[in-house]
Structures are given as structure tokens and as C-alpha cells.
Amino acid sequence: MYTKEIVIDASCILEFLLNQESKDFVTQKVGSLNLIAPQCLPYEVGNAVSKLMKRKLITIFEGTAVYHEFVRIPFRFVEPDIPEALMIAGNTNSYAYDAYYISVAKRLGLPLFTLDENMKSNAQLQGVTCL
């Protein structure tokens, strides 16, 4: 199955933005695909950046720069079906935020790209293809 779109989660985006060891892997997988994400992604990125600042792993200036880089990435944000996501979360014993990505991928019939092995397993249990 070839698709021009994927649902991408915060783990992949943060790996790219923070120039982590899997950045090249993320870049290769994404290529020129259109990126879809639930509307919570900007909040998750902001929270992850603030956590790094709180732990003094990055400065406020670096955190702000990371977020400014994030907003330059073209996404199509999709509102998740929260009742469906809560059912997924309950059935897989996962967090609602993870279930939002799974729900969006399932509803749109798109593959999910995540570096989170638990999310990947839970998505596959819901019939979602993962990269």
C-alpha cells in the first residue's frame, strides 16, 4: 500500500527537532510525505520542550528555537474522535494522547509513524499499519 500521507506522532517530531540519533531515520521515513497529526501535537511538543528546560537540558532560548522550528513544519491537524480514543485507551491500557494518534490513523486509513514501541503495538492491535 502506497500513501502520500502519514500520521506522525510527537516522538518522531521531537527526534527530528532535537537532532537526536534517529533524526536521519525519521527524515528518511518521512521523505516528501504529507504529515497528519491530531490537534494535540503542538501542546505535546511544547510540553516536551518545557520538560527539557526544567531539567536544564536546554536553555529557554534553545527551547523557543525548537518550537519556532516546529511551527515551520507543514502539518494537517485533525481533531481526534475523543470517545473512540478513550475506548482505544481503555482497551489497550494506554494514555489518551497515544490513543488520539491511533484514532486519527484508524479513521483516515493511514499508517502511523511512531518511535514509541507501546504505541506501535497498541496501534497494530487496532488494525493500524505502523512504519
Side-chain angles (χ1 to χ4, degrees):
M1 171 176 83
Y2 176 76
T3 181
K4 293 181 180 182
E5 298 180 313
I6 58 167
V7 175
I8 191 164
D9 84 332
S11 68
C12 296
I13 296 302
L14 289 164
E15 195 76 10
F16 174 80
L17 291 171
L18 298 171
N19 207 18
Q20 300 296 307
E21 67 181 56
S22 296
K23 178 180 180 173
D24 291 340
F25 174 74
V26 170
T27 303
Q28 174 196 16
K29 285 283 187 186
V30 169
S32 62
L33 297 173
N34 295 322
L35 304 178
I36 313 298
Q39 293 173 331
C40 63
L41 179 62
Y43 303 106
E44 284 195 271
V45 169
N47 189 59
V49 168
S50 72
K51 192 181 295 186
L52 293 170
M53 292 185 310
K54 183 177 180 181
R55 294 179 181 166
K56 307 286 187 220
L57 297 173
I58 62 174
T59 66
I60 294 170
F61 177 80
E62 290 168 330
T64 303
V66 166
Y67 194 79
H68 284 296
E69 191 65 28
F70 166 72
V71 297
R72 293 181 57 213
I73 300 171
F75 291 97
R76 178 166 65 99
F77 293 111
V78 175
E79 185 172 346
D81 181 331
I82 293 176
E84 178 189 34
L86 291 174
M87 289 178 55
I88 291 169
N91 288 330
T92 60
N93 196 32
S94 61
Y95 292 107
Y97 279 102
D98 290 354
Y100 297 152
Y101 292 92
I102 296 168
S103 171
V104 167
K106 184 176 180 180
R107 186 173 40 147
L108 298 178
L110 295 173
L112 172 64
F113 184 26
T114 180
L115 299 175
D116 180 328
E117 291 300 322
N118 286 331
M119 188 190 302
K120 190 180 291 186
S121 295
N122 290 333
Q124 290 168 336
L125 287 172
Q126 297 296 313
V128 173
T129 301
C130 294
L131 302 181

